[in-house]
Amino acid sequence: MLNRRSFGMAAASAVAISVFAPFALVRPAAADAAALEIFIKGLSTRAITDLSAATTDKERAARLLPILQEFFDMPALARHTLGAYWRRATPEEQAEYVEVFTQYMSAVYGKRFSEYSGQTLAVQRVREDGERATIFTIVEGAEGKPRVDWDVAVLDGKQMITDVRVEGLSLAETHRQEFTSVISSKGGKVQALIDILKKKVASL
Amino acid sequence: MSRLMTIAKSTLKASAIATVLLAAGCATPPDPSDDVAVQAFNEANDPLEPMNRYFFEVNHGLDELLFKPFAGYYNIALPDPAKDSVRSFVRNLRTPVILFNDLFQGEGGRAGDTAARFAINTTLGIGGLFDVADWWFGMPYHDEDFGQTLAVWGADEGIYLHLPLLGPSNPRDASGKLVDYVLDPLTWVGYVYNVSWINTTRFAVEGIDTRARNLETIAELQKGSVDFYATIRSLYRQHRNDAIKNGEDPEAVLSQLTNDDMIPADGDEMPIIVAQPVPEKADQLSEAN
């Protein structure tokens, strides 16, 4: 019984390997330091060119939104920030939350670009770990040259950012603690957080 | 004798107030059958949340009234190089505490840096006013405190505390502060020569300088936040963990994140054990899933 099963497994994996091996060669892997460096530089150039032309906070938010969707795994980030409450949310709430969360991120972080004055990202090193990687950068031109680490995962052959840490402070983790605290204080209702975030987005 | 009585009385009074605050300040734990709420409650590790939130509000009020305006004036009054000198000076005064803690943590290299920085900045840097050790010798400032030493020795942070005036803390870091105070030669200089205003002034200057440097960051953070108290709680913990690791060891940070990442793939069981679920609640749970 066991033997047959393991034989089946071996056969299946042999088939899988022979079928998928060619694709593995074509697909861009996360494990490519140069590609990751180009990826993060691309993000920085794109954000600086698109956002420095904006004059109002609303405009900055509107311009940051498509950048977030292109470079960040927003659904995964949104899911992470709800913690265990994600599973409590209905599919409708989940979909609405991902949308509101993306708007919230654009509004909050778009604003910060109003203080932009020529700082640049300098890649220090890249750590690769299969499908995941971390790009370690510092911000040149900012006081104390803060460390910024970017966690990247490969999704459908495309690099996507899953978390950003500034001086060890994680974006995903901080918002998760903030949001779960709000939900807990509202009797565990995810919809309450969605409504609060909507109001916040409107006020920013 | 009467003096002893007064001390005893005021101690009693203080402990009575503390007891009342503690009793009023305890958070109500969530329904044990609500596993998600229990998980959120445990993760916050903040059983004194109501009391902490109270002191958070008090500190926030003081900040709005006093520290923030003062930090604003400080920013306007002093040009950047002057502010840098103020910071270098108070940092240089902290050398003994940093050096002790470097040594306690077995960080020989960093202890050497701290000692060399003190020698260079006190002489060439004119009493610590200029951080020439960083500019010319490539030895940047680093901080250490006994809270971090305790963590390196394996002490747990304990529950979250938001202390009056001092802000975010925990039992480990609060007792660390006390030890640092005792370790600091300036504390004893203050006592012995009856010049404890030195330490009060230093504390105030450190506070104002730090606040002035973070005026915009904190304002932005607060504007964007939907629960500023929880944001600060999270940032404090992450900042301390980063400081304990001296900003290094990103591997550990990464693995910690993935462990915390408690989103199971769809259809997986929740990685939590529910303590004797009430039947009705259990039904609701499976519906929700």
Side-chain angles (χ1 to χ4, degrees), chain A residues 66-169:
Chain A
I67 299 176
L68 288 183
Q69 281 167 335
E70 187 180 330
F71 287 88
F72 289 72
D73 189 351
M74 291 312 284
L77 201 55
R79 201 167 61 221
H80 186 113
T81 53
L82 275 198
Y85 284 116
W86 175 259
R87 290 165 58 86
R88 278 289 167 82
T90 62
E92 293 76 33
E93 281 174 338
Q94 290 179 349
E96 193 183 4
Y97 175 70
V98 172
E99 204 187 314
V100 174
F101 174 72
T102 311
Q103 287 169 359
Y104 172 78
M105 288 281 115
S106 317
V108 169
Y109 294 96
K111 264 170 92 79
R112 311 247 165 117
F113 276 86
S114 62
E115 290 147 36
Y116 179 75
S117 55
Q119 294 86 347
T120 51
L121 273 187
V123 176
Q124 302 296 101
R125 62 192 185 92
V126 173
R127 190 186 61 227
E128 301 143 46
D129 180 16
E131 295 280 271
R132 290 173 173 273
T134 304
I135 308 164
F136 299 89
T137 65
I138 55 165
V139 185
E140 297 271 16
E143 196 194 305
K145 293 187 182 174
R147 288 173 280 132
V148 185
D149 308 340
W150 310 80
D151 284 346
V152 177
V154 173
L155 195 79
D156 298 331
K158 204 171 167 297
Q159 290 134 337
M160 289 288 215
I161 296 161
T162 53
D163 193 14
V164 185
R165 282 184 304 276
V166 181
E167 291 281 306
L169 308 174

Side-chain angles (χ1 to χ4, degrees), chain A residues 57 76 79-90 94 104 108-109 111-112 114-115 125 127 129 132-134 136 143-144 147 149 151 163 165-185 187-188 193 196-197 200 203-204, chain B residues 33-37 39-41 43-44 49 53 84 87 213 216-217 220-231 233-239 242 246-254 256-258 260-270 272 285 288-289:
Chain A
D57 283 342
R79 201 167 61 221
H80 186 113
T81 53
L82 275 198
Y85 284 116
W86 175 259
R87 290 165 58 86
R88 278 289 167 82
T90 62
Q94 290 179 349
Y104 172 78
V108 169
Y109 294 96
K111 264 170 92 79
R112 311 247 165 117
S114 62
E115 290 147 36
R125 62 192 185 92
R127 190 186 61 227
D129 180 16
R132 290 173 173 273
T134 304
F136 299 89
E143 196 194 305
R147 288 173 280 132
D149 308 340
D151 284 346
D163 193 14
R165 282 184 304 276
V166 181
E167 291 281 306
L169 308 174
S170 148
L171 177 97
E173 186 62 17
T174 309
H175 285 300
R176 186 167 70 88
Q177 304 251 345
E178 180 188 2
F179 294 167
T180 49
S181 169
V182 170
I183 299 173
S184 294
S185 72
L193 173 70
I196 288 170
L197 285 179
K200 196 65 170 179
S203 77
L204 284 170
Chain B
S33 63
D34 186 350
D35 56 350
V36 176
Q39 188 179 350
F41 182 79
E43 226 184 30
E49 188 169 333
R53 277 194 189 262
D84 287 349
R87 184 171 64 177
R213 282 170 195 276
E216 276 161 36
T217 317
E220 282 296 315
L221 204 62
Q222 192 182 352
K223 244 183 265 172
S225 179
V226 290
D227 187 344
F228 195 41
Y229 170 83
T231 303
R233 183 174 65 196
S234 171
L235 289 175
Y236 177 72
R237 281 188 182 138
Q238 294 183 63
H239 170 67
D242 187 64
N246 297 335
E248 288 159 12
D249 199 13
E251 244 99 351
V253 175
L254 194 80
Q256 180 202 332
L257 252 185
T258 34
D260 277 0
D261 201 336
M262 13 146 247
I263 312 130
D266 282 2
D268 277 10
E269 280 303 307
M270 288 294 289
I272 322 153
L285 241 181
N289 290 340

Side-chain angles (χ1 to χ4, degrees), chain B:
Chain B
M1 193 56 195
S2 64
R3 200 170 159 202
L4 247 174
M5 283 293 281
T6 334
I7 291 171
K9 260 187 194 164
S10 48
T11 314
L12 259 175
K13 216 187 262 175
S15 50
I17 292 170
T19 318
V20 170
L21 271 174
L22 269 172
C26 279
T28 328
D31 182 348
S33 63
D34 186 350
D35 56 350
V36 176
V38 169
Q39 188 179 350
F41 182 79
N42 290 341
E43 226 184 30
N45 190 17
D46 191 1
L48 299 179
E49 188 169 333
M51 185 179 80
N52 284 337
R53 277 194 189 262
Y54 173 76
F55 285 128
F56 175 77
E57 291 303 329
V58 170
N59 287 351
H60 185 65
L62 284 174
D63 182 58
E64 289 289 334
L65 267 171
L66 272 171
F67 308 130
K68 204 163 92 177
F70 206 86
Y73 298 139
Y74 174 88
N75 256 356
I76 297 165
L78 265 70
D80 283 350
K83 274 188 279 184
D84 287 349
S85 277
V86 169
R87 184 171 64 177
S88 298
F89 184 75
V90 287
R91 278 179 170 180
N92 202 44
L93 291 182
R94 250 188 83 77
T95 302
V97 171
I98 300 170
L99 185 61
F100 275 130
N101 284 296
D102 279 333
L103 292 171
F104 290 154
Q105 293 173 32
E107 298 268 7
R110 280 163 71 93
D113 273 6
T114 305
R117 277 180 54 82
F118 184 73
I120 294 166
N121 285 346
T122 308
T123 54
L124 291 175
I126 315 174
L129 287 174
F130 302 97
D131 193 352
V132 287
D134 183 15
W135 306 339
W136 300 345
F137 297 87
M139 280 188 284
Y141 171 82
H142 71 257
D143 197 14
E144 280 301 346
D145 54 68
F146 200 72
Q148 293 182 46
T149 299
L150 286 173
V152 170
W153 289 353
D156 196 57
E157 63 183 317
I159 60 169
Y160 182 69
L161 293 173
H162 199 101
L163 301 173
L165 280 175
L166 296 172
S169 192
N170 54 49
R172 181 195 67 203
D173 293 346
S175 35
K177 270 213 159 69
L178 211 68
V179 173
D180 286 333
Y181 182 73
V182 175
L183 281 176
D184 197 334
L186 263 189
T187 305
W188 301 103
V189 170
Y191 272 121
V192 173
Y193 296 98
N194 215 5
V195 284
S196 43
W197 60 267
I198 290 180
N199 289 300
T200 327
T201 312
R202 177 169 66 147
F203 180 71
V205 169
E206 268 172 354
I208 295 294
D209 182 69
T210 311
R211 187 70 185 92
R213 282 170 195 276
N214 294 302
L215 272 178
E216 276 161 36
T217 317
I218 293 175
E220 282 296 315
L221 204 62
Q222 192 182 352
K223 244 183 265 172
S225 179
V226 290
D227 187 344
F228 195 41
Y229 170 83
T231 303
I232 294 292
R233 183 174 65 196
S234 171
L235 289 175
Y236 177 72
R237 281 188 182 138
Q238 294 183 63
H239 170 67
R240 290 298 289 173
N241 286 338
D242 187 64
I244 291 159
K245 294 189 202 106
N246 297 335
E248 288 159 12
D249 199 13
E251 244 99 351
V253 175
L254 194 80
S255 60
Q256 180 202 332
L257 252 185
T258 34
N259 286 344
D260 277 0
D261 201 336
M262 13 146 247
I263 312 130
D266 282 2
D268 277 10
E269 280 303 307
M270 288 294 289
I272 322 153
I273 298 145
V274 184
Q276 297 180 326
V278 184
E280 291 165 38
K281 291 277 177 181
D283 285 341
Q284 278 173 14
L285 241 181
S286 47
E287 267 168 45
N289 290 340

